[in-house]
Structures are given as structure tokens and as C-alpha cells.
Amino acid sequence: MPKFDTRVQELRYTVVKEVAKHIYQNDLMESFYDIPKEIIPGKKPSMRCCVYKERAIIGERIKIIIKSKSKGEGNVIKVIPIACDECPQGGYQVSDACRGCIAHRCIEACPKKCISFDENLRAHIDKSQCINCGLCAKACPYYAIENRVRPCVRACKNKAISEDPETKSALINDEKCIHCGACVYMCPFGAIVDECYIIDIIGMLTSKDKEVYAVVAPSIAGNFTDYKLEQVITSLKKLGFSGVFEAALGADMVALNESKELAEEGELTSSCCPAFRYYIEKNYPTLVSKISHSLSPMATISKAIKENHPNSKIVFIGPCTAKKKEIKEDAVSPYVDSVMTFEELQALIDANNINISELEESRFESPASSFGRSFAKCGGLTSAVNKALEEQNVDFIAKGIVADGVDNIKKALNAMKSGKSEFNFIEGMMCDGGCIGGPCNLTHHMKNKVLVDKYSNEATKEIKTATKGAKV
């Protein structure tokens, strides 16, 4: 069994693996009702109240896979109501730590005066009046007032998740959702999932009609840590990919383009992270014009491949759910045909009984620079832009601010909006730490960053050298 952070990831992987097996056997629909029993055999439950509910949830997961289309419409993040544990949407509540003190700072702090004390001198909050401002919690000397919210709500920094008034399950507001996948990773019951395009991808790989190329995110260096990266590349070719390209080479191309644009415009935000772009579009419409016009590294290298192999198909592989939304955009859909996460790649490899450790070593079709590879972590893009400016003899310095996670992004965007910022470039990455913190990495350890650093340092230190010598 591969290494994962949680059993939820393990479950997602297992479902995709079993579905993939039946796709290859060409009996998925006939085996629809058998797969849950294959995954949850016997009569003893391991995760829920009974095996029947466990199997029903597996069935819902399979339905989402069957319905998912690479070029479909709608939100790529879905809720499985039967899997949702109906976590309490309680807001601020008084815990047993309340001592019934006589200071009553909580009462004085509350703007709605909705706190009272009962005969046992314990504080109570009138939820019909509470506005969840949190001032009472800050005032309590015993920290006895806690903000109890659903893990998915806490994870969603764009406030796109609420409670369905009818089912009490999580409800996603598509108008606010930025497809970042934070809720997918944080839901303790795995009730929130991303679309899975494994049916489309296996169809491409087995049709033999066209060449299929894989474009792999640089954060792959922090995954599949029990094997050499060169062996993972070989496993992709075993699956049927004609060649494997680094998205990092697209990052080199982006650095060259974005550096010129920055020098011309004087002020920009990056465009590499789709969730970051969606956040700006939905929350800072006046700054949309500041977003770089460069396509993402994924789309940029895919465009170059398609120009040289016009009849090919391209699948991006990475840790990101927002990429599944990006490929539906008009500017990107002609170049990228589908997206697969690292979790799904591991499932596909194991469905084919490929033992990565026994494989020979292969290399990427055209290696990227160390700067392109460093896009996987915070700060990599800004360094690459300045290096590109230097290599192109452009007399301009990118005074970048690295903003990862919504809180840091919000501060940076507010500063740019005010017109009083000390920087001229925002490197925005929605996941903490950058792509190495993406929701669909196999694990999220400090070791991942170390491995990405090692992977970056092994490459050439010249961006123009990598792009000029590129063979796509």
C-alpha cells in the first residue's frame, strides 16, 4: 500500500484503483454493484456504522467517476451527502472550561448582548442573536468560548461552504468556490471529492489512435519517494504514454514571457496558480487587469507540444484540483485534454500491477532549468522572473512578494489595490508552501520540500539554455 497522510486519501486511491481495473477489463458497468463489495468485504465495518453505508458511499464515489468528463462543465468539487457526517455548524459555544467568573468580560465584549449566566454561574450564548464575531472568545480569560465549525468550512478561506438546510450536509456555493481542493483534503469523512477523469484517460491510453503525452508537475519530486523519479517516468511509459515532459519546462517559458510583461506593465500578479486567479476574479475584480496574460506552465508546455504534435493528446499530472477546472477554460482546453492527480496516478500504476522499483530508468523528453523546477514551492517564480530579466538584459527588477495561502494573498492584494505597495509583483499560490502543499500530493511532509530542492538543484541554472534546447 502506498504511503498517504490519511485513510481518506487511501480510500480515494483504492476506489480509483478498483474502478481502473474494471475499465481495463471492459466490465465497469457490469461490475458497478460488485466493486463496493470488493473494497468492503465481509460484514464488519471499518469506518462507518455498518458495511452497507460504507458500500453505499463507495457506490456514490463510483458514480462521480463515471459522470466526470475532462471537458464537462460545472464545479469540479462535489459533495457526497450520504458521506457527510452532518458536522455541527455551531459557531461560538461555551465549553466546560467556563469558571463562572465575576468579571463577565464576555458580556461586556458582546455587541449584541446575547450572553447570560445561569443559576450555576455558567455562561450561555443566545444563538438566535449571536453574529459569530468572536469578541467574547477573545475576552474570556479562560479561553472557555470556542468557535466550533465544520472542518471543511474552516478549510475554505473563500467562505464557499455552508450547511444544506434540508440534508444538513455541506453545501458548496459555486459562485464563490475557487476549486482549490482544501476542503477535499481536510474533510475527515471524505465527503467532499474532486472529479476524476480516469475513464477518459484510460480511453486515450488504450485507443492507440493518437500519441498521448504526460506533462508532470515539478512537485512530483516530493512524491513517490520510495522510488527514483526516473523509474516513475518509466512507469508512465508502461501505462502507454508516448513521452513525459516537465511542466517545469513550461515554467521556464512562462518566466521569459512574464518577465517581459512585468517590465512593460510595471506591476503584475502571477497567473500560474488557477485557484489564485479565480480568487482575484471573484474577490478583487479591479485587479483582474493586473493578472499576467501568460498561460500557466501546464498550458504553455502543452501548447508547444501540440504545435509540434497536432494530433496528440496531453494529460497533466500534479497535486492540484484547480487544474481540473483550468482545462475547461477556452484559453486552455485546446492544449490540455485531461488532468490526473498524483493519487490517481498511483492508483493507475497499481491497477496495472506495475512494480516501480523493478523498472529501468528513463528521462524526461527535455529537461527544464532549476528555476523552472522551483515553481513547485513559494519564491520559485519570483526568482525565475528576475533570472529571466537578467538573461534577457532587461533593465528592470521584480520586487516580488511571495503570498501563499488566502491570508497572505489577501494582504498582498489589499496592498496592491491601495496603490501603496512596496512591491511590483505578487507571486500568488493558494496552497500553503506552494504546489508542494497541494491537496492531492501523496503526503505533505517537510521531506517533500527537501526533495523538490534536490530535484531543482540537479538541473541547469540557465533558463534560456533549457528553453532553446527544448525538444517538444
Side-chain angles (χ1 to χ4, degrees):
M1 175 66 69
K3 296 176 182 177
F4 297 107
D5 289 338
T6 69
R7 287 191 69 191
V8 170
Q9 288 176 280
E10 182 182 318
L11 176 63
R12 291 202 301 257
Y13 149 83
T14 301
V15 173
V16 176
K17 181 182 71 173
E18 295 305 315
V19 167
K21 284 182 180 179
H22 287 280
I23 296 172
Y24 282 113
Q25 292 169 194
N26 201 30
D27 66 352
L28 176 59
M29 299 312 296
E30 297 92 325
S31 305
F32 179 86
Y33 294 104
D34 296 325
I35 297 175
K37 295 177 183 178
E38 293 170 2
I39 295 175
I40 312 289
K43 297 182 178 181
K44 188 176 180 180
S46 61
M47 295 173 283
R48 299 282 185 162
C49 58
C50 64
V51 293
Y52 305 106
K53 184 170 184 176
E54 291 181 350
R55 290 171 184 163
I57 293 170
I58 296 295
E60 292 301 311
R61 288 178 173 275
I62 297 172
K63 285 181 185 177
I64 289 176
I65 294 175
I66 292 173
K67 292 179 180 179
S68 295
K69 300 295 180 184
S70 301
K71 299 302 182 181
E73 297 180 353
N75 199 328
V76 300
I77 309 297
K78 312 288 186 184
V79 176
I80 304 176
I82 191 177
C84 184
D85 196 54
E86 301 177 13
C87 304
Q89 189 84 334
Y92 286 91
Q93 297 182 1
V94 180
S95 72
D96 292 338
C98 178
R99 302 287 294 168
C101 68
I102 62 174
H104 291 183
R105 287 190 172 91
C106 55
I107 289 181
E108 298 303 321
C110 179
K112 292 294 182 178
K113 304 303 177 187
C114 60
I115 299 179
S116 61
F117 282 77
D118 61 20
E119 59 185 15
N120 295 316
L121 304 181
R122 189 172 182 273
H124 284 276
I125 299 175
D126 181 353
K127 300 302 293 182
S128 67
Q129 299 295 320
C130 179
I131 59 174
N132 289 318
C133 66
L135 294 177
C136 58
K138 293 179 180 178
C140 177
Y142 291 103
Y143 304 102
I145 303 177
E146 303 170 343
N147 188 17
R148 297 177 180 174
V149 297
R150 295 171 182 257
C152 57
V153 171
R154 184 180 294 111
C156 181
K157 301 296 186 180
N158 210 38
K159 299 180 180 179
I161 300 180
S162 60
E163 181 184 274
D164 188 308
E166 294 183 5
T167 66
K168 304 302 180 184
S169 61
L171 181 67
I172 298 176
N173 183 336
D174 293 347
E175 296 300 315
K176 291 184 177 181
C177 180
I178 56 175
H179 316 280
C180 65
C183 57
V184 174
Y185 180 71
M186 289 305 298
C187 178
F189 284 91
I192 305 180
V193 300
D194 52 310
E195 289 185 337
C196 175
Y197 308 136
I198 205 75
I199 294 177
D200 289 352
I201 293 168
I202 293 176
M204 293 179 205
L205 293 172
T206 57
S207 69
K208 306 298 183 183
D209 291 339
K210 298 180 179 180
E211 291 182 318
V212 185
Y213 292 100
V215 170
V216 184
S219 50
I220 193 173
N223 291 268
F224 306 97
T225 55
D226 289 338
Y227 317 105
K228 292 181 178 180
L229 177 57
E230 292 78 8
Q231 290 177 308
V232 179
I233 295 172
T234 303
S235 73
L236 286 165
K237 293 182 178 180
K238 288 279 187 182
L239 289 173
F241 286 100
S242 302
V244 185
F245 288 87
E246 293 189 77
L249 182 58
D252 285 326
M253 298 173 181
V254 168
L256 292 171
N257 294 333
E258 208 159 77
S259 61
K260 293 178 188 175
E261 186 180 4
L262 175 59
E264 292 170 1
E265 298 295 331
E267 189 177 54
L268 280 183
T269 79
S270 61
S271 59
C272 298
C273 172
F276 174 57
R277 283 196 293 108
Y278 301 147
Y279 183 79
I280 295 176
E281 292 166 2
K282 295 186 177 187
N283 297 280
Y284 292 84
T286 59
L287 295 181
V288 169
S289 61
K290 298 291 185 181
I291 301 174
S292 169
H293 288 85
S294 294
L295 292 174
S296 68
M298 170 191 77
T300 299
I301 185 61
S302 297
K303 182 174 183 286
I305 296 169
K306 288 244 174 158
E307 287 171 350
N308 289 281
H309 305 273
N311 294 318
S312 65
K313 294 285 187 179
I314 296 177
V315 178
F316 175 76
I317 304 171
C320 181
T321 57
K323 289 295 184 185
K324 295 183 176 183
K325 183 65 175 179
E326 184 184 354
I327 65 167
K328 302 176 191 290
E329 298 174 19
D330 291 341
V332 178
S333 63
Y335 311 123
V336 188
D337 296 282
S338 196
V339 168
M340 177 165 52
T341 66
F342 290 137
E343 288 177 3
E344 292 160 354
L345 172 59
Q346 180 73 71
L348 198 57
I349 290 171
D350 292 345
N352 282 272
N353 296 312
I354 296 173
N355 188 337
I356 302 177
S357 63
E358 295 179 354
L359 298 178
E360 68 277 10
E361 297 179 18
S362 300
R363 299 194 179 278
F364 288 114
E365 299 302 312
S366 193
S369 78
S370 60
F371 289 92
R373 291 180 174 183
S374 68
F375 270 49
K377 59 181 183 176
C378 287
L381 172 55
T382 301
S383 297
V385 166
N386 273 316
K387 178 64 174 177
L389 288 167
E390 175 190 320
E391 290 186 12
Q392 296 174 105
N393 297 314
V394 178
D395 187 17
F396 189 90
I397 297 176
K399 298 176 182 177
I401 181 171
V402 178
D404 65 322
V406 170
D407 292 339
N408 291 327
I409 287 172
K410 192 181 298 184
K411 291 177 183 176
L413 291 174
N414 284 338
M416 178 175 279
K417 185 178 179 181
S418 72
K420 299 178 181 178
S421 62
E422 296 180 357
F423 50 84
N424 55 26
F425 182 67
I426 298 178
E427 176 184 337
M429 305 189 87
M430 194 54 61
C431 296
D432 292 340
C435 299
I436 57 174
C440 297
N441 283 298
L442 302 184
T443 59
H444 298 75
H445 300 155
M446 182 58 68
K447 179 182 178 183
N448 297 26
K449 180 181 181 300
V450 174
L451 291 172
V452 169
D453 285 339
K454 181 175 181 292
Y455 164 67
S456 299
N457 292 333
E458 290 171 348
T460 176
K461 300 298 186 288
E462 298 292 327
I463 295 175
K464 290 177 74 174
T465 299
T467 54
K468 282 186 176 180
K471 298 177 181 178
V472 294

